[in-house]
Each structure stands twice: as structure tokens, then as C-alpha cells.
Amino acid sequence: MAGAATPAIAALVAASVPHEVFGYQHDPRNQAFGDEAVAELAAAKNAEAEQIFKTLVVELPSGLAVAVVPVPAKLSLKAVAAALGAPKAAMADKAAAQRSSGYVLGGISPLGQRKPLPTVIDETALLWDTVWCSAGKRGLEIGLAPDDLITLTGAVTADIQAV
């Protein structure tokens, strides 16, 4: 996969951020997008499930925001709200998430979104040399340093996993 296949990859190339793109054949019957990415990356890249992150769009009273957590983790909406200085958070409507990000569900990347949103990344990302997240379409992942992901998304880090 050469060049800027998605806005997420274009953002990395434009910022001269070292990254790796990994593509696999997405099974259209599989709606467990994160689990599919974990299985593919574990097999091909020996990646751990906890270093593969899913991008979730949440709704705050002030508008939409992005939460990035390891695939096996459950998101704490209360912790996301606290990290972003909001009184509460709820999962965003799927159509609103797709419209705002410019990506399809299961392929939403924290990078290269149509409209930059407040972003919080789970602090466990900092435990890894490389983290993986969606490159902007199903079956396409990008690996990069967590500090680069934080910088490019303007994210804050916090413990946003539900217990």
C-alpha cells in the first residue's frame, strides 16, 4: 500500500512521521472489527492485543470527541468526560461519528479526521514502542510511536478504561 491511501496516512506522510502500514483482507461478514485487527496483527506482526487501539467517537455536551483505547478494553465514559473536562459523555450516534470523521465504522482513525476533535488516548499507549490503530478503512492499520500519535491528534492521555 504505497502513498497516501487514506487521510490518516496522508497526515503521517505530511508530518514526516515514521510509521508502518499493514493491510489485510477484511471479512465483510465480520462486524468485530477490533478483534479482527488483533487476530491479523498478532499473526503477521506478533503484536499484543493491548497495543492495538480502537477509535471511539463520543458525545460530550459541547460536541463530539474521540477516545482511543486498547481493543480488549471497555471504555469508561465517566473517565473520558473527566479527562476532557466535561460533565458527562455518551457514545456518539454511528452516523454522526462517520460524518464527523469522514471514515466508515470499523475504520475510524484518530488521524486525518475530517474535523479535528478533542481526543483522549488511554495512558497504556505509552507502555509500547509501537501502537497500532486504524489507518482509515477496514483492513488497514498503521503502527507508530505513541508520542507521535499523541502529538498529531493533540490528545491528552488518561486512564479511560472501565474497571
Side-chain angles (χ1 to χ4, degrees):
M1 186 95 18
T6 67
I9 296 169
L12 290 168
V13 170
S16 300
V17 169
H19 63 280
E20 180 180 354
V21 178
F22 173 71
Y24 59 91
Q25 189 60 48
H26 165 65
D27 178 351
R29 295 166 303 190
N30 189 347
Q31 297 296 300
F33 307 113
D35 293 340
E36 184 182 47
V38 165
E40 295 288 341
L41 282 161
K45 298 288 179 187
N46 206 23
E48 302 283 336
E50 291 78 15
Q51 79 184 110
I52 303 162
F53 285 71
K54 58 189 172 188
T55 305
L56 303 171
V57 180
V58 298
E59 189 168 342
L60 307 174
S62 59
L64 297 178
V66 173
V68 183
V69 291
V71 168
K74 294 250 184 281
L75 179 66
S76 166
L77 291 168
K78 188 175 178 179
V80 167
L84 295 173
K88 63 181 182 175
M91 292 307 297
D93 172 72
K94 291 175 181 172
Q98 292 181 127
R99 255 193 325 275
S100 172
S101 68
Y103 297 121
V104 301
L105 221 54
I108 295 179
S109 177
L111 298 161
Q113 292 202 5
R114 184 176 288 153
K115 180 182 178 206
L117 298 172
T119 300
V120 58
I121 298 173
D122 188 73
E123 64 190 9
T124 59
L126 297 168
L127 301 175
W128 303 95
D129 293 332
T130 300
V131 292
W132 293 89
C133 63
S134 177
K137 67 184 217 184
R138 296 173 188 160
L140 196 62
E141 303 288 316
I142 37 182
L144 71 162
D147 287 337
D148 289 333
L149 180 60
I150 292 162
T151 300
L152 282 177
T153 56
V156 296
T157 56
D159 178 359
I160 57 169
Q161 293 186 39
V163 194

